[in-house]
Amino acid sequence: MSRDGLLPFIPFSGDQAGSADAPAPPLSRPKILIVDDQPANLVALKHLLVRVEVEVISAASGNEALKLSLNHIFALVLLDVQMPGIDGYEVAELLRGEERTRDVPIIFLTAAYHDPDHRVRGYDAGAVDYLEKPIDETVLLAKVRVFLDLFRGRAERERLLRLLIEANHALNQEIEARRRREADAQRLAGTIFDSVTEAILVCDAAARIIAVNPAFTRLTGFASRDVDGRSPAIMGSSRQCRDFYGLMWGGLRRAGRWQGELWNRRKNGEAYPIWLSIVAVRDSEGEIEKFVGIFSDITQRKQIERDLLHSRLTAERANRAKSVFLANLSHEFRAPLNTILGFAEMLLIEGEGVPQASRRRDYAASIHDSGRHLLELVNDLLDLSKIEAGKWPLHPTLFPLRPLIEECTRLMRIEAGSSGLTVVTKMDAAPPVLMADQRAVRQCLFALLSNAIRFTPGGGQVTVEAEAEGTMTVIRIIDTGIGIEGADIPRLLNPFDLTDEPAAASVAGSGGSRLGLAVVRSLIDLQGGKMAIESEIGTGTTVTLSLPTSGAVASGG
C-alpha cells in the first residue's frame, strides 16, 4: 500500500502531538552526570570523558546530584558509593523513585566496597554496573559509549516518532482548514515516513497491520503485501510467552505508549533482538484509532554487551590468578632464602682464622649476595602485589628533597666506588620541599641508582638531577652505561612479560630486577606522577621521575 493511501487516515489529537507549527527539537550532545565528593576524582573522570562526544556535569554530593537531575536529562550517571550525607545507594534509590529519572542508567564506582554484599546492594539500588577502583579506562569508556549509543538511539527514535506525529497532525489540521493544502502536507509526511532508517508499522485499533515503511521491509524481509491485514504476531519468534504480549498490549491501551526489548523473526526464519517503541493514536473522542510502532535491530548492541561481560570476567579471572601466583611465590621463597642468608652469615663469622678461610668467605659472600638478590626479587613481587591490590599505604608528607637525595647517593657511592664509578648530584634548581610519600620516593631512588650502577662499566658516571618544572618536581637518574634498545623498554616495565628479550636477559644476568622498574613506575603513578625512560645502546640511560610538588594523591569513595 502506498504512502498516499496511508497518511490521511492517521489523525492525532491535540493533547498528543502538540502544536503543528512547533518543530522537533534538534538533538544536542548527551549529558553525563558524575557524582563524587572528591574533587580530584571529578577532575580525573572529566579528563577521561573528553574522549567521547558528551557534556559532562559534575556534582560533589548526593543532594547536588538530585537537584541537577531536576533540570537536566542525563544519558548516564557515574556515581560514587561512599559519600558524606546521602551515599550513592540512597541517591540511586531516589533517582529510581522518580518517573523523570527512573530509566537513567547508573554505574557505581567504588574504591571502598569490593565485597559481594555491596555489589548486590548496588544492583538492588538500580545500578546497571558496579565497577571497583582503580578503574580500567578502556572498559569504562566502552561501557559509557554503549549507554551513549542507547541514549542517542532512543532519542532518535523519539525524535522520528515526534516528527511523524507532528507531520500527520499538521496534515489533519490542514484538511479541516483548507482542503487545497492536503496534497502538499501529505507529500511532506510521506517523505518522512519513507526516509527514516528505522522500521515503522501502523496497525488499526484491532492490532491488524495496515501500513509499513520501506525500512520495515529491509529489516524484516516482509513486503507490505505479506503483512497487510495480519497481526504483528507474524513476526513472533516464540521467545516471549503469551503473558508477555498480554501485559504489553494491556499497558499500551492504558498508558498510550510502550517501549522495550523483545525478539522478532525475519521472513527467512532468523530470530533477532529489537528495541520497539509503540504509541497509541486516539481520535477526537479519546478512542484508540491506530497504533504506530518504530523498531530497530539491536543485534550489534547485544553482542557488545556480551563482549563486555566476557572481557570483565576474563580480566577478573586473570587478576585472581596473578594474585594467587604472587602469594604462593612469596611464601615458597621466603623460608629457603632466610635459611641461605643465615648459613651464609654463619660461614662469614666462623671462617675467620681457619685454613682456606679466604675461599670459604668467597663462597659465603656469593651465597649471601645471591640470597640477597632473590630476597629483593621477592620483596619486589610483594610490593607489586600490594600496589595492584590497592593495599599499598601512601602517607604523603612535606619533606626536604635535597637531604633525601644526598642520603641515597651517599649510601650508593660505596657500591659505585668498588666498581670504579662516580656518583654526582645536581640540585641547584631543585625545590626545597616535596609533598609526597617519602618512603616510596626513597625506595624509587635506591632501585634506580642500583640499576644504574649495575649497568655502568668501570670509569663511568651516574648523575642525579633534581629541578622544579612548573608545578612538577623532576628527578633524573642519568648513567653512562650499556643502554637499552628502545623497543625493549615497554617490555622491561611489564613484570609479567616473560618473553626472552636480549634486554630482559641482560637485566637478569647482571643481578638487576625487571620487577623493580615496575614497582618504581607503580609507586610514581600512585602519587599522581609519571616515569619515563630514554636510552641509547652504548651511550647510557636516563630515567625521569615527575611528581606534583604540592602532592596529588587521590582518594576514592
Side-chain angles (χ1 to χ4, degrees):
M1 89 190 37
S2 70
R3 62 170 184 258
D4 293 334
L6 158 67
L7 293 174
F9 299 98
I10 311 180
F12 294 87
S13 60
D15 60 341
Q16 287 177 304
S19 173
D21 298 327
L27 292 177
S28 59
R29 287 200 307 166
K31 299 178 181 179
I32 290 182
L33 176 62
I34 58 175
V35 188
D36 200 304
D37 62 310
Q38 297 295 329
N41 291 345
L42 291 175
V43 171
L45 279 174
K46 276 189 174 181
H47 180 73
L48 177 62
L49 295 174
V50 168
R51 305 180 193 177
V52 293
E53 287 293 324
V54 69
E55 179 181 349
V56 180
I57 298 177
S58 61
S61 67
N63 284 327
E64 185 180 358
L66 294 174
K67 291 178 182 178
L68 288 170
S69 69
L70 298 176
N71 301 319
H72 300 274
I73 297 175
F74 293 108
L76 177 65
V77 177
L78 301 180
L79 181 57
D80 187 28
V81 175
Q82 186 182 40
M83 295 186 294
I86 302 179
D87 63 16
Y89 299 134
E90 293 174 286
V91 173
E93 290 168 355
L94 290 171
L95 291 175
R96 284 290 176 264
E98 294 295 326
E99 182 176 358
R100 176 184 175 87
T101 56
R102 182 175 301 155
D103 297 323
V104 178
I106 298 172
I107 297 178
F108 278 125
L109 308 177
T110 182
Y113 304 126
H114 296 179
D115 55 285
D117 291 341
H118 277 89
R119 183 180 290 273
V120 170
R121 184 180 176 188
Y123 287 122
D124 288 342
V128 298
D129 210 336
Y130 189 99
L131 301 181
E132 298 171 0
K133 300 178 182 176
I135 302 298
D136 186 315
E137 293 185 0
T138 302
V139 172
L140 178 58
L141 286 175
K143 292 177 182 290
V144 167
R145 290 189 177 101
V146 168
F147 287 110
L148 289 179
D149 288 343
L150 291 177
F151 179 82
R152 292 189 183 100
R154 185 165 61 251
E156 177 68 8
R157 286 190 294 273
E158 292 174 356
R159 185 182 73 87
L160 293 174
L161 187 58
R162 284 196 301 270
L163 284 173
L164 182 62
I165 292 174
E166 289 168 5
N168 281 276
H169 180 76
L171 180 60
N172 286 312
Q173 290 289 336
E174 289 296 328
I175 291 174
E176 294 176 2
R178 286 177 284 183
R179 286 281 183 181
R180 62 180 178 270
R181 297 179 56 189
E182 179 179 345
D184 292 339
Q186 188 173 344
R187 282 193 295 271
L188 173 62
T191 299
I192 296 173
F193 186 77
D194 289 344
S195 63
V196 294
T197 59
E198 298 197 352
I200 301 176
L201 75 159
V202 182
C203 298
D204 61 18
R208 293 184 296 264
I209 299 174
I210 59 175
V212 296
N213 72 336
F216 174 93
T217 299
R218 290 193 298 270
L219 181 62
T220 67
F222 288 102
S224 176
R225 62 179 178 276
D226 298 326
V227 297
D228 188 18
R230 305 187 66 176
S231 166
I234 189 176
M235 297 179 291
S237 65
S238 301
R239 295 200 181 192
Q240 290 83 217
C241 63
R242 187 181 299 273
D243 291 341
F244 172 86
Y245 288 109
L247 292 173
M248 183 189 79
W249 284 104
L252 179 59
R253 292 180 184 278
R254 288 191 303 272
R257 62 176 56 243
W258 182 92
Q259 63 178 4
E261 179 182 315
L262 52 83
W263 283 77
N264 266 3
R265 180 181 58 83
R266 305 188 206 274
K267 186 177 181 179
N268 63 8
E270 176 190 358
Y272 63 104
I274 66 168
W275 183 266
L276 171 65
S277 297
I278 310 175
V279 62
V281 181
R282 300 181 185 273
D283 59 22
S284 59
E285 298 180 356
E287 296 296 325
I288 294 178
E289 189 174 56
K290 292 179 176 63
F291 298 99
V292 178
I294 299 179
F295 63 92
S296 59
D297 186 343
I298 58 171
T299 301
Q300 186 176 8
R301 191 198 81 184
K302 301 293 288 184
Q303 182 60 46
I304 291 173
E305 291 175 351
R306 287 192 295 271
D307 291 344
L308 285 173
L309 177 60
H310 176 73
S311 297
R312 189 187 71 187
L313 294 177
T314 301
E316 289 176 352
R317 284 195 298 268
N319 190 56
R320 287 195 298 269
K322 182 176 65 176
S323 297
V324 171
F325 162 75
L326 293 174
N328 290 339
L329 186 63
S330 65
H331 288 296
E332 290 292 333
F333 272 80
R334 276 187 176 276
L337 284 173
N338 287 329
T339 302
I340 291 172
L341 292 173
F343 277 108
E345 290 171 0
M346 290 177 63
L347 284 172
L348 288 171
I349 295 171
E350 295 177 359
E352 296 292 344
V354 179
Q356 299 182 344
S358 175
R359 181 179 299 178
R360 293 187 181 184
R361 288 182 61 83
D362 289 342
Y363 291 160
S366 297
I367 295 172
H368 188 273
D369 291 344
S370 298
R372 175 86 41 198
H373 169 64
L374 291 175
L375 185 58
E376 289 175 358
L377 176 62
V378 173
N379 287 334
D380 285 343
L381 285 168
L382 290 174
D383 289 343
L384 190 62
S385 178
K386 289 179 182 178
I387 292 171
E388 295 199 352
K391 296 181 179 179
W392 180 281
L394 281 178
H395 302 289
T397 58
L398 196 65
F399 64 90
L401 179 60
R402 294 185 184 185
L404 176 64
I405 294 177
E406 290 291 357
E407 172 194 343
C408 295
T409 54
R410 184 177 64 255
L411 294 174
M412 296 306 295
R413 280 192 179 100
I414 300 173
E415 181 181 345
S418 64
S419 301
L421 305 177
T422 56
V423 179
V424 297
T425 59
K426 295 181 180 179
M427 295 184 288
D428 294 338
V433 293
L434 176 63
M435 184 67 178
D437 188 309
Q438 185 173 1
R439 179 174 64 97
V441 175
R442 179 185 287 110
Q443 181 171 341
C444 293
L445 290 174
F446 275 129
L448 295 177
L449 283 169
S450 178
N451 271 358
I453 291 170
R454 285 170 178 165
F455 298 117
T456 301
Q461 178 175 295
V462 176
T463 304
V464 181
E465 296 180 353
E467 63 180 348
E469 291 185 1
T471 61
M472 305 296 286
T473 294
V474 177
I475 303 172
R476 297 184 182 89
I477 292 84
I478 307 168
D479 66 57
T480 58
I482 60 176
I484 308 169
E485 288 283 358
D488 291 330
I489 292 175
R491 298 186 182 93
L492 290 175
L493 291 174
N494 183 0
F496 299 100
D497 186 346
L498 301 181
T499 306
D500 187 13
E501 301 289 346
S506 68
V507 171
S510 303
S513 173
R514 298 176 65 188
L515 293 175
L517 292 175
V519 170
V520 170
R521 184 178 65 173
S522 297
L523 288 176
I524 296 301
D525 289 346
L526 278 178
Q527 300 181 86
K530 293 182 179 179
M531 172 182 170
I533 299 177
E534 298 176 355
S535 187
E536 184 176 345
I537 295 296
T539 300
T541 300
T542 298
V543 180
T544 303
L545 307 180
S546 300
L547 287 167
T549 303
S550 59
V553 180
S555 59

